[in-house]
């Protein structure tokens, strides 16, 4: 789920054939699934089968049953892994109580190619997201207000929405062709709540067109949409967690865990580049790009900026230094500079954060550790100024207390090529 809001032509030809069974026949067929979908649709995913990976480095945490666990020893095969080109279908839903004021082409261009370009940069060119948008609106059978669309959506209303969306689009698209499904609602329909955008997960896959659908991205964004919001939601399709903190009353500060760092915290952040830990999980960084810190003592590491692709003489250069501090916890250091997706970065340097593999999505699986807790930065642009100046500058240190002792990270200095020397002392 995306966090709460604060108070070009689409590439590639569409692959959506025309025709299909008459609408009333499709609706009768899908109506039989209403009870099943009400039981199947949930806001969380459930652990599926896993694929054993190669022997992971000693600092890779084990995956747990936590929703979107950040363990790296295995991959949850219930999720698609973005290590290849993936195809996404984008379908546009209108309602009988509202005439759309935008066109499908306008809404598609609001998200693409920007979303695809974000992932191309984040993955260092390893992953391509190819979108195939419908050319026309498809009308839902019920008024927009009848679905009760809201951030905290009633399960039965949500199930009815998903059932109807699948029913009215089934004759227009072969779902077996696509890895990702986006249902985009008319942003001007009176019952559409722009804070309701989320990934809907099925407890058990729904069989459609000979393929298993495990999750659907339901988009209720206003036009124009928030920057990076679709990239955030797509991250959930790849098993990435929400990193924000949701206040109990929904009115407090949502960004206390990670601030601007990583779009899974805030789609508005100045530094939306995924954490290096996320890139390692998704396969965009290899074990050779990770320096594991083992026994107590002092070690030195040369870390290259996370936003620069490993290439040339630096193809195998480290991007992360990781200290495993427990069975389910690690301290990570990486270099963040204003390159790539972080071009709008507020401050740069060596960013230190804690990862917990047993903490569920939105529960704080990542915590950015503030090297300057007494100060803040960029109050006019940052989503959380107290963490905007979190990175270490040259000569600065940060001590992290752990269950087994203390980890001290020191940013020794920066080389002309952008690489930083980092000293880590474990005691």
């Amino acid at each position: 789920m995306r966090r709460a809001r604060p108070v070009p032509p689409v590439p590639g030809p569409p692959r959506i054939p025309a025709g299909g069974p008459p609408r009333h026949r499709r609706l009768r067929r899908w109506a039989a699934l209403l009870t099943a979908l009400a039981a199947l649709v949930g806001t969380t995913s459930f652990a599926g089968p896993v694929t054993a990976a190669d022997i992971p480095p000693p600092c890779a945490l084990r995956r747990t049953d936590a929703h979107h666990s950040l363990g790296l020893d295995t991959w949850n095969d219930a999720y698609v892994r973005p290590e290849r080109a993936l195809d996404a279908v984008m379908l546009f839903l209108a309602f009988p109580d509202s005439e759309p004021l935008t066109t499908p082409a306008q809404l598609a261009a609001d998200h693409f190619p920007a979303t695809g370009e974000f992932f191309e940069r984040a993955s260092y060119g390893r992953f391509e997201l190819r979108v195939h948008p419908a050319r026309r609106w498809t009308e839902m059978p019920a008024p927009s207000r009848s679905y009760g669309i809201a951030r905290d959506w009633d399960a039965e209303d949500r199930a009815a929405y998903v059932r109807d969306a699948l029913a009215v689009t089934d004759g227009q698209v072969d779902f077996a062709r696509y890895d990702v499904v986006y249902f985009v609602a008319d942003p001007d329909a009176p019952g559409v709540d722009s804070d309701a955008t989320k990934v809907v997960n099925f407890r058990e896959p729904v069989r459609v067109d000979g393929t298993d659908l495990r999750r659907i991205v339901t988009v209720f964004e206003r036009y124009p949409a928030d920057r990076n919001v679709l990239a955030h939601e797509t991250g959930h399709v790849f098993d990435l967690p929400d990193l924000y903190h949701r206040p109990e009353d929904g009115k407090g500060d949502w960004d206390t865990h990670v601030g601007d760092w990583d779009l899974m915290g805030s789609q508005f952040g100045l530094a939306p580049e995924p954490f290096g830990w996320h890139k390692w999980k998704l396969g965009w960084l290899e074990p050779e790009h990770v320096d594991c810190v083992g026994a107590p003592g002092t070690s030195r590491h040369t870390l290259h900026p996370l936003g620069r692709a490993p290439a040339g003489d630096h193809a195998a250069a480290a991007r992360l230094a990781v200290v495993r501090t427990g069975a389910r916890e690690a301290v990570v250091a990486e270099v963040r500079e204003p390159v790539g997706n972080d071009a709008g970065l507020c401050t740069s340097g060596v960013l230190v954060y804690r990862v917990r593999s047993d903490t569920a999505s939105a529960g704080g699986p990542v915590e950015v550790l503030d090297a300057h807790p007494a100060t803040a930065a960029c109050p006019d642009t940052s989503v959380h100024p107290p963490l905007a100046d979190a990175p270490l500058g040259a000569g600065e240190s940060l001590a992290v207390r752990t269950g087994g002792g203390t980890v001290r990270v020191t940013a020794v200095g920066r080389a002309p090529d952008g690489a930083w020397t980092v000293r880590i002392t474990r005691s």
Side-chain angles (χ1 to χ4, degrees):
M1 184 188 297
R2 49 81 62 76
R3 58 149 288 178
R5 298 176 185 278
V7 175
V10 178
R15 296 186 177 183
I16 303 172
R23 174 178 162 187
H24 68 275
R25 196 189 329 157
R26 293 197 305 271
L27 289 175
R28 281 203 306 270
R29 177 163 65 87
W30 280 98
L33 289 178
L34 174 58
T35 303
L37 273 175
L40 294 177
V41 175
T43 57
T44 61
S45 294
F46 295 80
V50 298
T51 301
D54 295 333
I55 298 175
C59 56
L61 302 178
R62 290 189 178 278
R63 188 167 64 85
T64 71
D65 290 336
H67 182 34
H68 293 315
S69 169
L70 287 180
L72 301 176
D73 63 319
T74 56
W75 178 260
N76 187 343
D77 282 345
Y79 294 87
V80 60
R81 197 169 192 179
E83 292 185 303
R84 58 179 175 83
L86 298 179
D87 290 291
V89 63
M90 183 171 278
L91 302 166
F92 301 90
L93 304 176
F95 303 89
D97 58 340
S98 179
E99 184 72 24
L101 302 179
T102 54
T103 66
Q106 286 176 307
L107 296 181
D110 200 24
H111 297 290
F112 285 92
T115 301
E117 290 171 347
F118 177 92
F119 285 115
E120 192 279 332
R121 290 188 295 267
S123 68
Y124 312 121
R126 291 187 172 210
F127 166 54
E128 179 185 5
L129 182 61
R130 300 182 298 218
V131 66
H132 304 277
R135 297 185 185 278
R136 63 182 185 272
W137 290 102
T138 299
E139 186 169 293
M140 295 282 275
S144 61
R145 290 190 178 94
S146 69
Y147 294 107
I149 299 167
R151 181 178 182 87
D152 297 312
W153 208 350
D154 176 80
E156 290 189 4
D157 287 341
R158 184 172 62 247
Y161 181 86
V162 173
R163 175 212 63 192
D164 287 353
L166 287 170
V168 298
T169 58
D170 185 30
Q172 303 173 30
V173 58
D174 181 359
F175 287 100
R177 296 186 180 189
Y178 303 102
D179 305 285
V180 183
V181 177
Y182 300 114
F183 278 133
V184 182
D186 174 9
D188 297 299
V192 169
D193 180 350
S194 59
D195 274 339
T197 293
K198 68 173 66 177
V199 175
V200 174
N201 299 285
F202 303 133
R203 298 177 192 270
E204 298 292 340
V206 175
R207 194 77 174 170
V208 184
D209 293 333
T211 193
D212 288 338
L213 289 183
R214 297 182 180 273
R215 57 195 48 84
I216 290 172
V217 185
T218 53
V219 181
F220 300 103
E221 291 301 301
R222 59 190 174 190
Y223 176 76
D226 293 338
R227 180 175 67 96
N228 288 330
V229 66
L230 200 65
H232 172 104
E233 293 304 328
T234 306
H236 292 315
V237 177
F238 305 146
D239 199 19
L240 295 184
D242 280 320
L243 301 182
Y244 53 70
H245 158 71
R246 184 177 182 181
E248 290 187 9
D249 60 2
K251 299 178 181 178
D253 195 335
W254 291 67
D255 299 301
T256 55
H257 289 321
V258 301
D260 291 273
W261 311 96
D262 196 302
L263 85 162
M264 300 311 294
S266 173
Q267 69 267 25
F268 308 104
L270 300 177
E273 186 79 359
F275 286 122
W277 189 274
H278 280 168
K279 295 191 181 202
W280 189 11
K281 173 177 178 173
L282 297 177
W284 301 340
L285 289 175
E286 303 289 346
E288 66 187 14
H289 300 122
V290 181
D291 283 356
C292 288
V293 180
T298 298
S299 57
R300 292 171 73 92
H301 310 268
T302 300
L303 300 182
H304 286 253
L306 185 66
R308 292 184 182 172
D313 294 339
H314 303 308
R319 293 302 193 274
L320 304 179
V322 178
V323 186
R324 184 167 178 169
T325 56
R328 299 176 178 83
E329 182 177 293
V331 173
V332 185
E334 66 189 36
V335 172
R336 303 295 287 264
E337 294 202 339
V339 296
N341 291 322
D342 280 352
L345 198 64
C346 179
T347 60
S348 59
V350 178
L351 186 70
V352 183
Y353 54 93
R354 194 192 313 262
V355 177
R356 296 181 175 89
S357 65
D358 60 348
T359 302
S361 177
V366 178
E367 176 192 5
V368 167
L369 303 176
D370 193 354
H372 309 98
T375 62
C378 305
D380 295 331
T381 52
S382 170
V383 300
H384 187 63
L387 285 180
D389 62 349
L392 293 163
E396 296 180 336
S397 293
L398 175 66
V400 185
R401 294 187 180 277
T402 70
T406 300
V407 174
R408 179 173 291 276
V409 181
T410 302
V412 177
R414 181 184 185 278
D417 65 356
W420 282 73
T421 299
V422 177
R423 184 173 66 245
I424 297 179
T425 301
R426 184 173 190 174
S427 59

